[in-house]
Amino acid sequence: MVSKRKLSKSDAHGDSLTAELPQTKKSRISCKEKTSAEDGAVENDSIFVQLIKTAGITLNAGERQNDIVSKSLLPLFAAYGSTHYTHASTLLTYTCMCRAGRMLEDSVDQATFQKKLCQILRKHPFYPHVVQEFVSGLETHIKDRDQFRNCLLPCAPVRGEVTRNLVHSYCESLIKLLLGIETLQPAVITLLLEKLPEFFFDTVGTFGTNFPRLIVNQFKWLDKILDSKDLIMKLMQMVSVSPAPIQHDIITSLPEILEDSQQSEFAREVSQLLKRDTRLTVPILDALSNLDLDAGLLAEVRQSAMIIVPAVKLEDLPVVIKFILHNIKAVDAVQVISALRKNLDLSSCILPLQILSSQSKLKSQPQTSSSTSQVSSSQNCVKLLFDVIKLAVRFQKGISEAWIKAIENTVSLSDHKVLDLIVLLLIHTTNTKSRKQIERVLRNKIPLGCVPEQLLQSAFRNHSLVIKDFFPSILSLAQTFLHSADPCVVSFGSCMYKQAFSAFDSYCQQEVVSALVTHICGGNDVEVDISLDVLTDLVTLHTSSLIRYATFVKNILDYTEKLNPQQIRKLFYILGELAFSQRQEDSYIQDDMHMVIRKWLSSTVPKYKQMGIIGAITVAGSMASKRSKEDRCSLERTQQSEEHCRQLSILLDLVSYCCEQSPEALALYYDELANLIEKQKGNLDSQILERIGKSVVEDFSNDFVVDLTPVVDGVHLFPVKSLYNLDEDESQGTIVINLLPLLSQNWLGKSVDEMATRNQGKKIVSPECLCPSFRLLRLYTTEQHNGSMEEIDALLGCPLYLTDLEIEGKLGSLAKQEREFLCSLLFHALNWFREVVNAFCQQQDLEMKGKVLTRLQNITELQNMLGKCLAASPGYVLPPAIFDCEALEAAPTVNAVGLVKKKKTGGKKQKSEGSKDSSADHSQMEENPEGNQSEAETTQLEKDTTEKRSGIPLVQLQSYRAFFRELDLEVFTILHCGLLTKSILDSEMHTEAREIVQLGPAELVFLLDDLCQKLEHILMPPAAKRAPFLKQGKDCRNIGFSHLCQRSSQEVAQCAVELLKPLCSHMENMHNYFQALITENEEVVDGPRVNIQEHQLLSSCYQQLLQVFRLLFAWSGFSQRENSDLLRSALKVLADRLKPGETEFLLLEDLISESFHYLLNFQHSVPNFQCALTLTQLLIVIAEKPVASWKKDKIASLAKQFLCQSWMQPSGMREKGSQFSDALHTLLCVYMEHTDNILKAVEDISSVGVPELINSANDGYSSTYPTLTRQTFPVFFQVMMAQLENSVRSIPAGKPSDSREVQLEKLLHWNMAVRDFHILVNLVKVFDSRPVLSICLKYGRLFVEAFLKLAMPLLDYSFKKHREDVQSLLKTLQLSTRQLHHMCGHSKIHQDLGLTNHVPLLKKSLEQFVYRVKAMLAFNHCQEAFWVGILKNRDLQGEEILSQDSEENDPGEGVSQLPREDPAEEEGDISGSEGGSEHNDDDEESSE
């Protein structure tokens, strides 16, 4: 009771303070309702007033509080009476002066007042009628508002002049004192509740007092309530009719009014009210949080609160969340958090932002500012919400783990919210112990697309005020993610950096820049690339902000040793933008860059000179671009911009001078200038462009172009011959590319002439500069003439000075120098044609299109010749064609054995190389030499055909990408071409004939192969693996993709989408061809009318087309919101092929469905197994956009169809080889993963397909599964074992709470799994090859471990209920484990290290199984049924393996009650103990 007194003191005192107004205002308002002219004691003869005075309280009118007299002075008041109040005060003053020390102790005694008043009433002659009269007097007294207020406010102790400054104890109000008197309590309660409606519509300040709150406060913390239930009922009735503010006061006060026994009933009633009226959410939850509720009721109330979360107001949301998270038990935490995640949607919190954006567009500025305040209020509420969550995470054990677990358990992509990401950051900041767990969760979720980058962007865009508090965690996670091996995680980390820089203040921006610089200086290529990309985006979007931290970025110049040329280009672009932005022409960054560039250019080390050229041209681009912008801003060119132009000219002159003596440096200079023109289209200064163009036109014409003459002067290694002329009828004025004479001069006089040229200071003319110089020329021409190539169109059809290229039968007679010269000549010719195609591929003139297609034919012909020459030139070093990459550590070379034609041993050679892989299928082929002889027939088919025709071996050119000029993306517009006509003109310029020019299969293969490489490089980034210490090799992945890497993945994807229509046309042509071929040959692929070469080329086209589709649709960028329109466009192209003109308004899911069906139609025409696999993978990619069950079934059905199909080559042989085995492994995994019942699929293959194979001939196959042969059996076996083990791990472990039906269902699953396992293990007796044994030992152990972990708990609780099922299960598994024991013995006998490595772990698992069975029997009180037998070591066929001990003393298969103690024997005996488990059930029957 003492504590209640203290609490009521604070409550009422606080209310009185908050209710009182300033003196001036209060007197003005209250004077309207005054009952007395001036403040003073109330004087009348009513029973109420008289008795109150007698008991010790003086009632005052006006604003003066009622006075209560101290217990020590009551006799004085009684003696003098009420009429002598002044004399009593005088006497009180005197008493205080005399007894000042005692006055503090003699404080007002309210209990005395209550006691005396009670006695007066009881002793009154008219008792109990006097009580009613007393209450009537009270009712009359409180009709005056001031007097009523005084009765509700605390009484004031009587003070004299001396005691004015003395401290007195707190006094209760008169009403509360009267409520403490049992005789008066019911009547006073009724009176107060009747008075309460009078103040329903009074505002808080009308009479200076909040009367409803004061009335309700009188009921709080009473010592005793006679009829508490009736009071609560009346108050709840008052809640139903009162206004919201009074409802709020009543509900929040009820916990201090209730008795303990009433709390549960009140909680239920209020929770129902919570569902009906969400306006009372805050007071109700506030009241409930102050009650002591049992767990069941608390869960019920929490559920009621959970239901209203989606509908509650934003400002009330923190209170609701606080209540839900309050006092959660660890057992229920995950369930509560999961429900809260489902109901809590932050999208309602960003509605004010949308209001603001709409008003800013449609309304005036003042309205927008009001919306801004609404946004600020909204953000503050969200911040309060996360503060509540933060407090729960910090102070309630288990909340953080439960929240992380709830997010982990969320599977659907759409169920992941911004809330999840913010809470993970919150926990990472608050709970240091959970940081590793959060990193793991994000690493797992990001690659699956559960936490896309748009989710992160939304969090920063809408909740930056909240996220800013978690900046250290954001920085830490971003740094960690950039170290990841997964490109999706790396990209997410870079997005965190960009968003943090955009959303936060200068301190955070500085930390972001410092972290990025640290990554760049660390030297890891992936981190360097992604960090430079982030800085590039920041310098583009936030130049003014990044300039403040330019010093940090400039420090990277000290660590350029580890950067490759592409990274140098990015770095100088960033520095150039910072240095030449905002007119900072005198910036210190410019000085530092110029010093570094000059130092690098003057270096004799090729790497530094290369870096200097790239840096100088990149900086020149920034300078030229900046000056162009200045010109547009001002009409008059300022002196400063003239100086700018002069500096740019000096820089270009310096680079040109430093490159003249080095052909490779000069070629790089040309390439960089060309890149500059291409990148700055329309944005380069005209003077700079003219200066570049003047020199390049003169240099190209003088160095590489001559007039065509019948005889070429000079000494050359080969006779000069003009070839590949497409303008043969032009008798005069024909030009020719002077390739062979230039190369011959360079080849013969390399040492003497080069030194002499350098001494004379002249520029060295080299064929290496031919293609770079032409590229610069054509880009300059298109820039100057708005895309027109008319000035240089003669170069498209002009011939080249080469030599006779009829090389069949001649290569063997040539000297080594001549063969290498011929290789160089072909390389330069090929690169010239590639650049010509780059230049003219977009021309619309039909004649020029025809010439471009002819040049493509020339490229394929020259590639054929080059392959033959390379095979005949072992050790040849190729001339460089790409100059902005690091020097290759080891250029591809041709082994000398390449000149020897294939013999029978060639197949074995190829087989032994392929068998280096330790996988099961490769090892199996060691025992079947015929299995790998025709691997080349499934790949590179064109090569084999050519070899057979010419008798000359070929070298494939895929590994020589770094030595060919890169094709631009624009080249693939050629795929739009159908049949084109090329005019052949006579001497009188009349059309003589019309020749049909078509994009043939060889040219189509060439283009599609290059397109596949480009899409794979830019859209499918590889894993970012960190190189081991001391093994930091050069990253050669970007070699050959220099121009492509300067484009974003979005640009490349856009280009590929634009090509979808012609690609669909080509694929439909392939489909029609093979369908017609199958029909014509009566379903036989190797029919007599099949053109093998054509079949091989078109099969390759088909494969490449499917691969292009797969690479495009597998691009992870389609999951980003900004690329959703691009994805829709791509799907619309496919859907239009099926339903033309009907797809404009289809939903995305409908477009996906139509695209899926369109691609599914190609299943009947795929010509080989590799195409079948690619088509399946393409359908999986499409189906995953959103995946549906019917699509999953379709994919499983399609995969099974391909597995049950016989795949034949055009030569009549079955497909086989290592590549076929790899593809089969992948497709079989796809089938297992998409089938609805893996156990049934495994049983079908092992019990149907394998017996058919066993009964077939040695080279036979299964009739049901033709892909299942003796060569491919290890592939099937490995996939089935792996999928079986993975499948049983998904069966939930047994629990005591499982029902009988659930236990039976789990037992059925395990029965089927053990039966499949038994079938597979026994197949080893037939297929006993080493890879099969290795697979069985490995996955057999994993299966036994899964059985111990998941199945044995189930057997513990289901043994008594399902004894027969358990018995059958153990008997079947016992047979399998015995066979595993035999495999262990076989491995030891043969001393195969690869097999014996599996034995110890397998023996350990078998031993654990024995003792676990014994524990299960003991758990079920049947331990006497358990026994252990000694199982002899046997081989795979069951023959006993005799050791030295067994030969001397063979104990036989004895029986003992316990396992042997000898460790050496225990390994051999433990498996035999399952024999005991075979009998223990029978024994148990008798025991029961």
Side-chain angles (χ1 to χ4, degrees), residues 971-978 999 1004 1007-1008 1011 1055-1070 1101 1105 1108-1109 1133-1134 1137 1158 1162:
V971 168
F972 301 109
T973 56
I974 298 174
L975 294 170
H976 287 275
C977 296
L999 185 63
L1004 185 58
L1007 290 176
L1008 292 175
L1011 179 59
C1055 178
V1057 169
E1058 292 172 358
L1059 294 173
L1060 280 180
K1061 286 185 179 180
L1063 291 174
C1064 286
S1065 299
H1066 287 298
M1067 196 156 70
E1068 289 165 8
N1069 291 337
M1070 301 299 133
C1101 287
L1105 284 165
V1108 168
F1109 278 84
V1133 172
L1134 301 186
R1137 313 295 291 196
Y1158 168 72
F1162 292 95

Side-chain angles (χ1 to χ4, degrees), residues 152-178:
L152 294 174
L153 293 176
C155 296
V158 177
R159 300 185 183 185
E161 296 179 1
V162 177
T163 61
R164 191 177 304 278
N165 296 325
L166 297 179
V167 179
H168 295 275
S169 297
Y170 171 77
C171 300
E172 296 285 3
S173 67
L174 174 61
I175 295 294
K176 195 156 192 177
L177 291 174
L178 296 179

